[in-house]
Amino acid sequence: MSVLFTLENHVARVVIDRPERMNAVDRATSDELETIWRKIEADPTVRCVVLTGSGERAFSAGADLKDNNGLSGLEYWASANPLGFGGIALRRSLKVPVIARVNGLALGGGMEMVLGCDIVIASDKARFGLPEAKVGNLPLAGGMTLLQRLVPRNIAVGLMMTGRMASAVEMERYGLVNAVVPQDELDAEVDRWIADILASAPLCVQAIKSTVRETGEMPPDQAQAVRSPELIAALTSEDSLEGVRAFREKRAPVWQGK
C-alpha cells in the first residue's frame, strides 16, 4: 500500500506514503487514491478530509517519471484522468472540504492536487511549482486550467513558463495558501482548521463548497439564482433549526448532518 487512510471523529486523513520517491504518484498509487476518494464519497460520516504526504521533504513531487510506460506527451494527455491528478485536482463529486497539509515540496502533479483542495495549510519550508516545461512537458492534469483561476494570471503563467518554485509565503500572498506556519506547528494549525469546520453545520459547509465551485465563473446575478441540491438540503435541514435554537439558548449546537 502506498497510501495510508484513516477515519476518526468525522475526519478522513489521506497520506501518500512514498517518502523514498518524494511521495511521487505512480499508477498503483493513483489507483489507490481513486479507491479512497470513492470510499469517502460513499461515507456520510466524513465531514472533512486532510491530504498530505509522508515525511517532511515533500507533499508530493508529482508524477513518478519512472512509471510513464513510455508514453509520449500526447499519449499521456489523451489518457489523463478526467478528474485531474491523483483523482482530486478536478474532482467535483467530493462534497466535503479537503485540506491540503503541505509539509514540503508540492511540484507538478503534487501542486495540481493542492489546487484541487479547498483549504491549504503550509509549512514555512513548503515550495510550490509546475516545472513541467523544464522537462519538455505540460501541467496537463489540472495545472494550466486551475492555477490561473486561483492566483493572478501573470503569476500563474510566470510560474508555468519558467518552472520556478514559489515559497509558501509567496503563495500565501498570492491567495493560494490560507496559512503558513513553522514545520513543527503544522499539525496544530491543521487541527485548528479542522475544529472550526467541525463546529460548523456540515450541510452548510457542503452547500458552500458546492455553490462556490459551481458558480465561480458565473456573473453574480446568475450565480445568485443557482439552487443546488446541497443548498436546498442545508436550508431545509434539521440542523438549520438547531442552529437557531442553540443561539437562543446560548449553547453550542449539536449537528446531526440532516
Side-chain angles (χ1 to χ4, degrees):
M1 300 291 287
S2 57
V3 184
L4 306 178
F5 172 74
T6 60
L7 174 59
E8 185 177 1
N9 297 327
H10 303 291
V11 180
R13 296 181 187 267
V14 182
V15 183
I16 301 171
D17 189 31
R18 303 185 77 216
E20 75 286 352
R21 298 290 301 155
M22 301 289 283
N23 298 318
V25 176
D26 59 7
R27 183 57 58 89
T29 303
S30 182
D31 290 344
E32 286 184 48
L33 285 167
E34 180 60 29
T35 297
I36 288 170
W37 300 135
R38 292 184 183 185
K39 183 175 182 178
I40 291 171
E41 290 172 347
D43 189 341
T45 69
V46 178
R47 293 175 55 189
C48 181
V49 180
V50 178
L51 174 63
T52 192
S54 287
E56 295 187 357
R57 296 175 63 202
F59 173 84
S60 173
D64 191 333
L65 296 181
K66 291 185 178 181
D67 187 54
N68 69 355
N69 296 319
L71 294 178
S72 68
L74 184 60
E75 289 168 333
Y76 177 82
W77 180 48
S79 64
N81 189 339
L83 300 177
F85 196 89
I88 190 66
L90 297 168
R91 197 178 200 93
R92 291 298 186 95
S93 51
L94 186 55
K95 303 301 183 182
V96 297
V98 182
I99 298 174
R101 174 190 175 274
V102 187
N103 49 313
L105 294 175
L107 303 178
M111 185 169 180
E112 288 174 322
M113 288 191 288
V114 170
L115 297 176
C117 295
D118 304 292
I119 294 168
V120 182
I121 312 300
S123 157
D124 57 3
K125 296 180 180 179
R127 297 292 183 272
F128 300 80
L130 292 170
E132 284 85 347
K134 285 188 174 294
V135 293
N137 212 325
L138 293 165
L140 295 170
M144 283 194 295
T145 53
L146 290 172
L147 187 59
Q148 62 171 312
R149 289 168 166 79
L150 294 171
V151 303
R153 180 256 185 202
N154 283 17
I155 300 301
V157 297
L159 287 172
M160 289 186 286
M161 289 178 177
T162 65
R164 292 179 179 179
M165 287 191 288
S167 70
V169 171
E170 288 178 279
M171 297 313 289
E172 182 183 36
R173 186 168 72 245
Y174 299 144
L176 180 68
V177 172
N178 295 81
V180 180
V181 296
Q183 185 82 22
D184 60 1
E185 297 177 21
L186 184 57
D187 287 328
E189 182 67 14
V190 169
D191 286 345
R192 283 190 284 269
W193 283 80
I194 291 171
D196 285 340
I197 289 171
L198 296 183
S200 300
L203 294 181
C204 290
V205 172
Q206 292 183 31
I208 290 167
K209 174 168 180 169
S210 172
T211 300
V212 168
R213 294 210 166 200
E214 288 183 22
T215 65
E217 302 303 313
M218 294 181 183
D221 56 335
Q222 293 181 22
Q224 187 68 22
V226 169
R227 299 292 184 266
S228 68
E230 292 82 6
L231 182 68
I232 300 302
L235 292 174
T236 59
S237 66
E238 294 179 21
D239 279 351
S240 68
L241 301 177
E242 165 62 8
V244 175
R245 282 195 301 266
F247 178 79
R248 289 174 176 169
E249 296 169 8
K250 298 181 180 180
R251 61 174 174 82
V254 179
W255 306 124
Q256 300 296 321
K258 60 182 181 179

